[in-house]
């Protein structure tokens, strides 16, 4: 696959090794690994990567908006019809990103306005005409933005944009038996969809407003439980969420989790993750902890 290859999980359970130009689909069954013929990577990013869930002949897709400050979910029904499901927007965050981008392009002084220089205006840029998905937009990719940086002021605006970018709209979607759960952390709501979407229930959520929220939900596929992750320099907390009412059922403290850790998964009551025990030694190991 060459440099820059990624291993990504598809919505039907398979894996995809994605390189800059082409990718392979990888099927794993028990101890057998099989690969399918290579295909163009653009097909993966355009068709397969947006697919985030599958249930009862329904395919669910996610598409991010400008600067990843909004997200649209839609689905394909068994007849192949494309149907919008929900749109969630962080309008304040998007306006801040637009403002920072305009200031970067115009090289506006950070601390004081130059009366003889150009006056930045968001309306001059026609953001509505750009691609609806900023994920694949080369124009707003950090690498492309960094190439425009030539002054300390532009670097400050670029840094501010990247800090804002970290706070992307986090609206995960999970399958729970015959129910589709959509966690809208922007508007504090949990949507419970039941195909063919005649019965939809909305319950309030507040757990993500609590201190040390790590912006991560983990689902235990075996036990059918959902956890929210919270972390600080002293410990990691997993809070089990009641998906019927959106409230926290139980809290589990896991101080054993290393400060440098990533790729968290919960399965059958155990937390798995890749951690680095010694920050001075760049060796990483797979760890397993009991959640109780």
């Amino acid at each position: 696959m060459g440099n820059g290859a990624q291993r990504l999980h598809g919505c039907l359970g398979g894996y995809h090794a994605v390189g800059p130009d082409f990718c392979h689909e990888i099927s794993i069954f028990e101890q057998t690994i099989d690969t399918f013929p290579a295909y163009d990577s653009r097909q993966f990013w355009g068709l397969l990567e947006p697919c985030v869930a599958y249930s009862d002949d329904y395919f669910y897709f996610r598409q991010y908006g400008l600067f990843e400050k909004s997200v649209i979910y839609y689905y394909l029904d068994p007849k192949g019809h494309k149907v919008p499901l929900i749109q969630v927007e962080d309008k304040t965050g998007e306006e801040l990103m637009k403002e920072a981008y305009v200031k970067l392009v115009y090289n506006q002084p950070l601390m004081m306005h130059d009366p003889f220089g150009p006056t930045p205006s968001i309306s001059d840029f026609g953001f509505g005409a750009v691609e609806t998905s900023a994920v694949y937009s080369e124009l707003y990719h950090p690498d492309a933005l960094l190439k425009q940086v030539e002054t300390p002021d532009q670097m400050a605006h670029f840094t501010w944009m990247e800090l804002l970018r970290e706070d992307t709209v986090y609206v995960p979607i999970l399958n729970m038996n015959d129910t589709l759960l959509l966690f809208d952390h922007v508007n504090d709501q949990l949507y419970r969809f039941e195909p063919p979407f005649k019965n939809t229930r909305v319950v309030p959520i507040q757990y993500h407003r609590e201190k040390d929220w790590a912006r991560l939900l983990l689902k235990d596929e075996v036990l059918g439980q959902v956890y929210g992750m919270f972390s600080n320099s002293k410990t990691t907390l997993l809070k089990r969420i009641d998906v019927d009412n959106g409230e926290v059922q139980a809290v589990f403290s896991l101080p054993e989790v290393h400060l440098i850790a990533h790729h968290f998964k919960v399965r059958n009551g155990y937390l798995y993750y890749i951690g680095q025990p010694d920050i001075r030694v760049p060796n990483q190991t797979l760890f397993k902890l009991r959640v109780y």
Side-chain angles (χ1 to χ4, degrees):
M1 296 299 295
N3 294 332
Q6 304 177 63
R7 181 184 63 82
L8 301 171
H9 198 193
C11 65
L12 293 179
Y15 291 89
H16 303 266
V18 185
D21 301 312
F22 64 90
C23 61
H24 286 278
E25 183 175 353
I26 303 171
S27 176
I28 302 176
F29 180 73
E30 295 181 348
Q31 302 299 317
T32 302
I33 300 178
D34 195 9
T35 60
F36 295 88
Y39 60 93
D40 195 313
S41 293
R42 290 174 296 182
Q43 292 180 302
F44 174 83
W45 292 115
L47 299 174
L48 298 179
E49 193 276 341
C51 182
V52 294
Y54 170 79
S55 176
D56 296 331
D57 296 326
Y58 286 79
F59 290 87
Y60 302 93
F61 295 83
R62 176 179 59 207
Q63 185 175 40
Y64 284 103
L66 185 63
F67 298 121
E68 300 178 50
K69 294 301 180 182
S70 63
V71 63
I72 298 174
Y73 280 101
Y74 61 93
Y75 63 88
L76 295 181
D77 64 17
K79 295 183 179 179
H81 298 143
K82 181 178 178 180
V83 184
L85 181 62
I86 193 172
Q87 179 174 356
V88 179
E89 299 176 286
D90 177 6
K91 294 183 179 180
T92 301
E94 183 174 303
E95 289 302 312
L96 289 173
M97 286 285 283
K98 288 180 180 180
E99 180 181 353
Y101 175 76
V102 171
K103 289 180 177 179
L104 185 154
V105 172
Y106 273 105
N107 189 22
Q108 185 183 25
L110 184 64
M111 300 304 297
M112 57 187 301
H113 176 63
D114 180 4
F116 301 103
T119 301
S121 173
I122 292 177
S123 61
D124 292 340
F125 280 79
F127 285 106
V130 301
E131 288 185 69
T132 55
S133 176
V135 176
Y136 316 116
S137 172
E138 296 181 2
L139 179 62
Y140 302 115
H141 191 276
D143 292 341
L145 294 175
L146 192 57
K147 292 178 181 178
Q148 302 183 52
V149 174
E150 297 178 351
T151 70
D153 288 324
Q154 287 181 309
M155 177 55 72
H157 296 312
F158 171 79
T159 302
W160 175 233
M161 285 190 69
E162 293 314 298
L163 288 174
L164 291 170
R165 194 191 298 269
E166 290 180 0
D167 189 24
T168 57
V169 172
Y170 184 54
V171 186
I173 193 170
L174 301 174
N175 276 328
M176 187 69 71
N177 299 322
D178 296 329
T179 303
L180 189 74
L181 304 175
L182 187 144
F183 296 82
D184 180 354
H185 294 115
V186 176
N187 300 300
D188 307 333
Q189 293 178 321
L190 165 59
Y191 290 84
R192 297 175 53 88
F193 298 107
E194 296 181 7
F197 306 103
K198 294 181 179 179
N199 299 314
T200 299
R201 189 160 64 91
V202 183
V203 296
I205 53 176
Q206 284 295 318
Y207 59 85
H208 58 296
R209 302 295 181 185
E210 298 175 8
K211 185 179 179 181
D212 298 326
W213 165 235
R215 293 169 51 82
L216 181 63
L217 288 182
L218 299 169
K219 177 188 173 185
D220 189 327
E221 296 281 356
V222 176
L223 301 181
Q225 298 172 338
V226 177
Y227 297 87
M229 177 170 282
F230 298 76
S231 62
N232 55 44
S233 60
K234 296 181 180 179
T235 189
T236 293
L237 298 178
L238 288 186
K239 299 185 179 183
R240 192 170 68 223
I241 301 165
D242 188 331
V243 296
D244 287 324
N245 58 29
E247 297 180 356
V248 174
Q249 285 181 319
V251 179
F252 305 93
S253 179
L254 301 171
E256 302 92 342
V257 175
H258 298 88
L259 187 61
I260 300 178
H262 54 91
H263 286 76
F264 295 94
K265 299 289 183 182
V266 176
R267 182 173 178 83
N268 199 24
Y270 287 90
L271 173 68
Y272 298 83
Y273 70 94
I274 297 175
Q276 184 174 323
D278 191 335
I279 61 174
R280 298 165 296 182
V281 181
N283 295 332
Q284 299 189 344
T285 306
L286 177 64
F287 291 90
K288 174 183 177 181
L289 294 175
R290 179 70 177 175
V291 180
Y292 60 89

